[in-house]
Amino acid sequence: MSERRKVLDVINLETTFFTDDGAVPAVDDISFSIYEGEILGIVGESGSGKSVTSLSVMRLIPSPPGKITNGQILFEDKDLVKLTDKEMRRVRGKDVAMIFQEPMTSLNPLFTIGNQLLEAIRIHHKKWSKQQMRARAIEILKLVGLPRAEALLKDYPHQLSGGMRQRVMIAMALVCNPKVLIADEPTTALDVTIQAQILQLMKNLNDQLNTAVMLITHDLGVVAETCERVIVMYAGQIVEEAHVQDLFENPAHPYTQGLLQSVPDMRFKKEALYSIPGSVPKPGTIEVGCRFADRCQFAMPRCTTETPKLYEVASGQMARCFLIEQVEVLV
């Protein structure tokens, strides 16, 4: 990992939503890095802060009510948090791009695939001729494995299947060769066969283009298949970070252990599927103590009165839990 160049560095990021009930911290003091050519997985239940993290990196948090209230998002020599909207538009789509959930709602039904695909090229490559732009659009559609790419430019989103729309979304994200690609649940609405094809496509493009990928998912099977490192989020915090093999072989945080136990195992059909009791707390309701304490079978009295920090478990692995007996605390 040390030989790779760091392309994105998130430091102490906090994103808060200001509502009638007060300030709600959806992402609370998280730090992580992504390296060139790496696929980093971010997992956790709904409400853990995964999508808010990705939208914060893209500077797409709706304001009001949301706002990045602290931290840095360093891309190369730029802090994306400090950029103006105009400056950020030069970065978004060209250097840092995103594949959104639900391609049918992300694609505009009133415009053809060609219009939507060419928009990013027109914004970031203004000096290109129309022929160059069209050639690039056809090239990227072929790269993501879509047939009849030329004719496809004239089609509307409703004329395509779910898998084809998802490939179009990937093509739109990759059309300007971004250095960082954020994929937010890119296979959620697809059947298992198409899911496998999309994930393999993303891995192939990652290998070919050396793009750093941040893959957000709730599916640990997807993480095992595609990712090198993984971050586990819970209630707006990072509770564990590790290389994917270490996470599956030696999960350190009780929440990670619960997630892995919840994965169906076809070898034990007679046993009831394990589920973590309770639910993710509403953001902002727990100010002191471990946010997983009321769902944790190992909870101790101090878990409700002291807030755990990230402890080093092993080289490259950290977890936010008092059970880990480690002298050095990483803040």
Side-chain angles (χ1 to χ4, degrees):
M1 184 66 68
S2 59
E3 297 175 359
R4 290 178 174 177
R5 185 172 62 91
K6 189 186 291 185
V7 290
L8 189 72
D9 200 12
V10 176
I11 304 169
N12 304 125
L13 177 66
E14 293 180 10
T15 301
T16 305
F17 288 85
F18 297 90
T19 69
D20 293 338
D21 298 324
V24 178
V27 171
D28 189 4
D29 195 26
I30 69 168
S31 300
F32 63 90
S33 302
I34 307 177
Y35 294 82
E36 192 175 52
E38 177 190 29
I39 302 181
L40 172 71
I42 299 184
V43 300
E45 294 169 277
S46 296
S48 294
K50 307 184 303 296
S51 292
V52 176
T53 299
S54 66
L55 291 172
S56 298
V57 172
M58 293 294 292
R59 288 273 309 274
L60 289 174
I61 294 292
S63 179
K67 185 181 180 182
I68 296 173
T69 49
N70 191 40
Q72 296 174 291
I73 302 170
L74 303 179
F75 172 74
E76 296 182 335
D77 59 342
K78 306 183 191 80
D79 182 357
L80 302 187
V81 176
K82 294 180 179 178
L83 297 186
T84 64
D85 290 343
K86 185 177 181 180
E87 290 170 333
M88 188 61 203
R89 281 194 292 270
R90 295 194 194 107
V91 174
R92 192 188 297 124
K94 182 176 183 290
D95 297 315
V96 184
M98 185 168 177
I99 304 168
F100 296 91
Q101 296 184 40
E102 299 289 349
M104 196 59 207
T105 54
S106 299
L107 292 168
N108 192 322
L110 301 178
F111 292 94
T112 64
I113 299 301
N115 279 332
Q116 298 182 65
L117 191 55
L118 288 165
E119 182 181 11
I121 306 175
R122 291 191 196 104
I123 291 171
H124 297 295
H125 297 287
K126 294 177 181 178
K127 294 181 180 179
W128 285 16
S129 66
K130 288 183 179 180
Q131 290 77 15
Q132 285 177 303
M133 292 181 184
R134 181 179 171 81
R136 175 56 181 164
I138 293 169
E139 178 190 14
I140 199 70
L141 288 175
K142 289 179 179 177
L143 185 65
V144 298
L146 283 165
R148 58 181 194 85
E150 229 172 311
L152 200 67
L153 294 176
K154 299 177 183 178
D155 288 347
Y156 288 85
H158 72 271
Q159 295 176 278
L160 309 183
S161 68
M164 291 176 75
R165 288 195 294 265
Q166 190 65 67
R167 287 172 188 265
V168 168
M169 289 296 297
I170 295 173
M172 289 173 66
L174 293 173
V175 73
C176 292
N177 288 334
K179 294 170 184 173
V180 179
L181 176 65
I182 301 171
D184 187 4
E185 304 273 11
T187 60
T188 299
L190 305 176
D191 62 63
V192 289
T193 306
I194 302 300
Q195 277 188 30
Q197 292 175 6
I198 295 296
L199 290 171
Q200 188 58 53
L201 168 65
M202 288 182 63
K203 285 186 72 175
N204 291 343
L205 293 172
N206 169 253
D207 292 336
Q208 292 172 31
L209 304 176
N210 207 30
T211 304
V213 178
M214 188 168 94
L215 177 62
I216 297 169
T217 181
H218 62 272
D219 190 333
L220 287 167
V222 168
V223 169
E225 284 288 321
T226 59
C227 299
E228 296 176 47
R229 285 191 304 128
V230 58
I231 288 170
V232 181
M233 288 191 69
Y234 183 79
Q237 292 182 328
I238 292 175
V239 295
E240 185 159 0
E241 180 178 351
H243 294 285
V244 68
Q245 188 173 349
D246 295 333
L247 188 92
F248 279 83
E249 292 181 355
N250 183 36
H253 197 281
Y255 178 60
T256 310
Q257 295 167 8
L259 289 178
L260 290 170
Q261 282 182 268
S262 303
V263 177
D265 191 332
M266 299 305 291
R267 295 173 298 173
F268 305 105
K269 296 181 182 178
K270 294 183 180 179
E271 292 185 14
L273 182 64
Y274 175 81
S275 64
I276 303 172
S279 57
V280 180
K282 184 180 176 182
T285 55
I286 300 176
E287 295 182 0
V288 180
C290 174
R291 296 179 184 182
F292 188 63
D294 63 340
R295 304 176 70 187
C296 181
Q297 59 180 322
F298 306 111
M300 303 174 284
R302 70 181 295 200
C303 295
T304 56
T305 58
E306 298 177 43
T307 302
K309 297 179 180 179
L310 282 171
Y311 294 83
E312 186 174 21
V313 181
S315 178
Q317 183 174 10
M318 297 182 294
R320 191 183 296 274
C321 183
F322 290 125
L323 292 173
I324 300 158
E325 298 178 2
Q326 197 75 21
V327 176
E328 183 182 3
V329 178
L330 302 181
V331 241

